[in-house]
């Protein structure tokens, strides 16, 4: 291996991926892209293996290899021409969930394909029965929005007009969707151009050889990391609360991690059968979650490519919560079930490497989606709004406060942008006192966002979790606080759950609630579980939490035995 060339090329390719992401952010229309950054940009070789990726969304990073390989089964290399761009979003063809749209463009050198530029992004409006794409009451995938098999949205450098017409005719916000899809195309156009430049600079054979060495290097480093972890079989389970349809049933995620030498197998046998509602995960999600968990336990400097995934195998029984069969709904699997799977794997590995894992995090993106006709402009709007949660405490530090869930790495939309783009007034945005699980190292803090509706009406749906089952603690740490979604209708002075106010089956998963002018909505995000015995927490840390308003004096006395003098 030429380590100098390998490091130079790896850095150059990752820079290309980051540049693709900046282009996508700056040219997109919707806040989920230009504010939240819910996308990933990467590069792949001609076999579909990921060779470089930027540090954007972990769920998409882990899902990218399966996505590309699935597409190439339907549109083989022999049918791809220079200037083509292929689009795909079908969860039952290797995808993650319906809103996730994958674009990839071939990179030609001397008339032959050498690889692909790839961009995956969450399109905010995909049709279906609920504006914003998260139907919390869906019972089949057809209710979750348009499914797109691998198709050429651009042919030989020219827009495929028939495909564009079909896409834009099936969504509520065609202008915004057009802009976001064009931004994704701009990203892969840039990636393809920049990679051709690298091939011209270093030569085709040199790049091919160096990329092969890079994947092998990542694999060897990952195996070396896994060698450090004690061999054994480590089991753990957790539950997803309800599915929006059967509110009295919780769904089990069972994990058995088999670690031997430089390899690891994540076995999901024993998990619940697939649900009637939209919490199911596809095989791509279950695989991506396993990758995500292992990456969080290992050296962050290992180059992120398909090589570092080679030591990781996944066993997911078909027809289960973690490998859903067609045509069951699955939109919540990528956002809600994925982080619960990661947490379950980390819970199992706490038995082997307690210093490398954390207690349970909030494990939800809250996924508050809405749409309607703007009373001022007469134009339909739609938004996918995600929120942050508290992370779990660790063996050496408190959990992160108000950070996107472990599979997202996204940002929340700033209040000023939110109020400018959508007919809401955000009345408050504040940390939740006592939402952090007590421990020697406390869990992270969640927060509450309270909004006033300024439009005639807004149609709202949600797919969230942790309203009932709190984030668990580790090694003597205690549970973190639960989340909630509440509404105060105009003219009332009390807060109600969606079940109380609108007769919905679930408080956390519902569809098409009509919020009217003057109504208020309160989104409460969960905290993280604590790590270690609370009695061992340093008094100075307790005092700091009291001073910062993270905990109350009552909690300090009850959970830590701390009495302010």
């Amino acid at each position: 291996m030429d380590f100098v060339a390998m490091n130079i090329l790896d850095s150059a390719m990752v820079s290309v991926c980051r540049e693709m992401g900046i282009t996508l952010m700056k040219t997109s229309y919707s806040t989920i892209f230009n504010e939240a950054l819910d996308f990933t940009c990467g590069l792949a070789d001609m076999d579909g293996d990921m060779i470089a990726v930027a540090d954007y969304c972990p769920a998409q990073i882990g899902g990218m290899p399966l996505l590309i390989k699935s597409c190439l089964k339907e549109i083989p290399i022999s049918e791809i021409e220079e200037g083509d761009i292929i689009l795909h979003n079908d969860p039952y063809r290797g995808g993650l969930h319906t809103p996730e749209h994958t674009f990839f463009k071939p990179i030609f050198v001397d008339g032959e394909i050498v690889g692909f530029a790839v961009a995956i992004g969450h399109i905010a409006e995909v049709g279906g029965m609920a504006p914003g794409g998260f139907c919390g009451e869906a019972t089949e995938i057809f209710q979750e929005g348009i499914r797109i098999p691998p198709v050429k949205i651009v042919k030989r450098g020219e827009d495929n007009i028939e495909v564009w017409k079909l896409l834009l005719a099936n969504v509520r916000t065609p202008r915004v969707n057009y802009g976001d899809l064009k931004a994704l195309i701009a990203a892969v156009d840039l990636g393809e151009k920049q990679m051709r430049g690298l091939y011209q600079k270093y030569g085709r054979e040199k790049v091919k050889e160096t990329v092969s060495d890079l994947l092998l290097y990542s694999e060897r480093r990952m195996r070396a990391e896994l060698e450090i972890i004690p061999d054994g079989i480590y089991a753990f389970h957790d539950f997803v609360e309800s599915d929006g349809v059967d509110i009295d049933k919780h769904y089990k995620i069972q994990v058995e991690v088999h670690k031997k030498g430089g390899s690891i197998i994540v076995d999901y046998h024993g998990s619940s059968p697939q649900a009637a509602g939209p919490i199911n995960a596809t095989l791509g999600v279950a695989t991506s979650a396993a990758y995500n968990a292992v990456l969080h336990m290992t050296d962050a400097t290992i180059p992120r490519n398909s090589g570092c995934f080679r030591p990781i195998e996944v066993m997911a029984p078909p027809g289960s919560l973690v490998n859903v069969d067609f045509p069951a709904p699955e939109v919540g699997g990528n956002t809600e079930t994925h982080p619960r799977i990661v947490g379950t794997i980390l819970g199992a590995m706490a038995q082997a490497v307690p210093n490398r894992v954390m207690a349970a995090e909030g494990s939800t993106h809250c996924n508050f989606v809405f749409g309607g006709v703007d009373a001022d402009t007469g134009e339909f709007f739609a938004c996918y709004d995600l929120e942050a949660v508290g992370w779990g405490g660790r063996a050496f530090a408190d959990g992160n406060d108000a950070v996107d869930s472990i599979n997202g790495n996204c940002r929340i939309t700033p209040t000023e942008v939110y109020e400018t783009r959508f007919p809401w007034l955000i009345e408050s945005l504040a940390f939740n006192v006592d939402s952090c699980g007590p421990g020697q190292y406390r869990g992270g803090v969640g927060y509450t966002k309270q909004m006033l509706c300024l439009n005639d009406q807004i149609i709202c749906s949600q797919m969230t979790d942790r309203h009932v089952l709190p984030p668990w603690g580790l090694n003597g740490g205690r549970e973190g606080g639960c989340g909630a979604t509440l509404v105060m209708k105009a003219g009332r002075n009390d807060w109600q759950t969606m079940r109380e106010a609108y007769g919905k089956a679930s408080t956390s998963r519902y569809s098409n609630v009509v919020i009217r002018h003057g109504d208020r909505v309160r989104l409460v995000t969960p905290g993280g579980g604590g790590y270690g015995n609370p009695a061992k927490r340093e008094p100075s840390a307790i005092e700091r939490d009291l001073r910062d308003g993270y905990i109350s004096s009552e909690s300090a006395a009850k959970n830590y035995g701390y009495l302010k003098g």
Side-chain angles (χ1 to χ4, degrees), residues 72 101 111 137-138 172 213 227 244 289 307 344 367 413 458 507:
L72 292 177
H101 286 49
E137 300 168 350
R172 299 170 176 86
D213 287 345
E227 288 276 4
T344 307
N367 303 311
T413 301
I458 301 177
T507 65

Side-chain angles (χ1 to χ4, degrees), residues 144-165:
E144 295 182 328
I146 185 171
R147 286 168 51 229
I148 308 162
V151 294
K152 294 182 180 181
I153 191 170
V154 176
K155 282 187 175 182
R156 297 187 295 275
E158 300 292 331
D159 282 345
N160 188 343
I161 300 301
E162 287 78 11
V163 170
W164 277 100
K165 287 180 178 178

